[in-house]
Amino acid sequence: EPTERTLVLVKPDGVRRGLSGEILRRIEAKGYVLRAVQLLDATTDVLHRHYAEHEGKPFFEPLVEFMMSGPVLAAVVEGEDVIKGFRSLAGATNPTEAAPGTIRGDLGRDWGLKVQQNLVHGSDSPESAAREIGLWFPGLA
Ligand code: DAT
Ligand code: MG
């Protein structure tokens, strides 16, 4: 079967804390390949589309605001079962509950804010990955 791709974001908290390199290191150490990487200021349009599934939830607007609080590192990551595998590397959504050994478990914490600053995003299905890669890397083959 063809190698799978996922969309990874290092969120503004991760970039701000200087953890982009550590997070990319873990991805590469696992054996996944970085196919495209860019640092950018996310627009409200891209973020509303990226998080469309959460529109209307109480944390939605604070989440979009947080995602615009600083640069985001976006990456297309390739590898066998990388969609599931990266979410496993990332750990549970809430950093307090994320297992040690995971990105969120080792490096994240609950900052007591309304939005969980959990360092990374990873696509949750092949459909999401295709949609999100098209959104963040419109020119990518
Ligand atoms: P994940 O990022 O693990 O896929 P998700 O898709 O359910 O989690 O939610 C997207 C982001 O929204 C998540 O990374 C942090 C934020 N979020 C989710 N649930 C939240 C909640 N109950 N309170 C505050 N922020 C939340
Ligand atoms: Mg999600």
Side-chain angles (χ1 to χ4, degrees):
E1 75 247 31
T3 308
E4 198 172 74
R5 286 180 173 187
T6 194
L7 188 277
V8 170
L9 301 177
V10 179
K11 298 183 181 186
D13 55 334
V15 174
R16 206 153 32 226
R17 290 176 58 203
L19 295 171
S20 305
E22 168 65 16
I23 290 165
L24 296 180
R25 187 196 65 75
R26 289 176 180 227
I27 289 169
E28 290 191 307
K30 178 80 175 176
Y32 299 138
V33 174
L34 300 173
R35 196 48 71 198
V37 178
Q38 63 173 334
L39 190 71
L40 77 167
D41 295 308
T43 63
T44 182
D45 176 60
V46 163
L47 290 168
H48 276 80
R49 288 157 67 195
H50 177 79
Y51 282 125
E53 64 171 310
H54 296 301
E55 205 149 3
K57 295 180 186 172
F59 62 81
F60 179 74
E61 290 299 341
L63 174 63
V64 170
E65 281 295 304
F66 161 60
M67 291 296 289
M68 294 179 70
S69 69
V72 169
L73 184 144
V76 175
V77 181
E78 204 167 88
E80 197 178 318
D81 283 331
V82 69
I83 294 172
K84 203 173 166 189
F86 176 74
R87 288 180 65 88
S88 172
L89 280 188
T93 303
N94 183 338
T96 300
E97 291 163 8
T102 65
I103 292 166
R104 289 161 170 173
D106 286 349
L107 310 172
R109 50 166 287 200
D110 186 344
W111 294 90
L113 303 177
K114 281 181 189 149
V115 175
Q116 286 160 14
Q117 300 193 19
N118 59 5
L119 298 172
V120 289
H121 165 85
S123 310
D124 63 8
S125 68
E127 295 71 32
S128 304
R131 187 178 65 79
E132 294 170 3
I133 289 169
L135 199 51
W136 292 86
F137 291 91
L140 195 70

